[in-house]
Amino acid sequence: MITGDISNSAQMSLSAREMEIIELVAAGLTNQEIAEKLTISKRTVDNHVSNMFTKTGSKNRVALLNWAMDHGKICRDGFNCCTLPDASPSDS
């Protein structure tokens, strides 16, 4: 299926900055708020979001977040999360 091919190739082609922006979108920030937080222009954020729509085949922010969850890129409330190594020392 073509949609799957787009999604699979997109996994490898999203930049670190795009992944950072997806996390901020998932946190509920607007493009303007993301721009302020990252100290970049809103237009740059708009361009990143538009590029991610193209790369993932998403048509809107909700679809983009669904794609990110489906591919283990973001975690929401313990649902569909990958296990990451614990960076803090254990409490034992």
Side-chain angles (χ1 to χ4, degrees):
M1 184 171 170
I2 293 175
T3 305
D5 292 341
I6 291 170
S7 294
N8 289 338
S9 64
Q11 279 185 288
M12 302 309 286
S13 64
L14 290 180
S15 70
R17 178 63 99 180
E18 289 169 336
M19 291 309 307
E20 186 175 14
I21 290 172
I22 285 177
E23 290 175 9
L24 296 172
V25 169
L29 276 66
T30 66
N31 285 5
Q32 181 62 48
E33 292 167 333
I34 293 169
E36 292 168 7
K37 184 169 183 72
L38 298 179
T39 319
I40 58 178
S41 74
K42 180 187 174 290
R43 184 174 174 110
T44 299
V45 176
D46 293 342
N47 287 337
H48 280 303
V49 171
S50 178
N51 290 340
M52 289 186 288
F53 287 165
T54 300
K55 289 178 178 182
T56 63
S58 302
K59 295 185 181 197
N60 56 50
R61 292 164 80 92
V62 172
L64 179 62
L65 293 178
N66 284 334
W67 177 91
M69 283 184 61
D70 290 347
H71 290 87
K73 302 296 184 185
I74 60 170
C75 175
R76 298 300 293 164
D77 301 326
F79 175 75
N80 203 20
C81 295
C82 58
T83 304
L84 299 175
D86 186 12
S88 63
S90 64
D91 292 332
S92 37

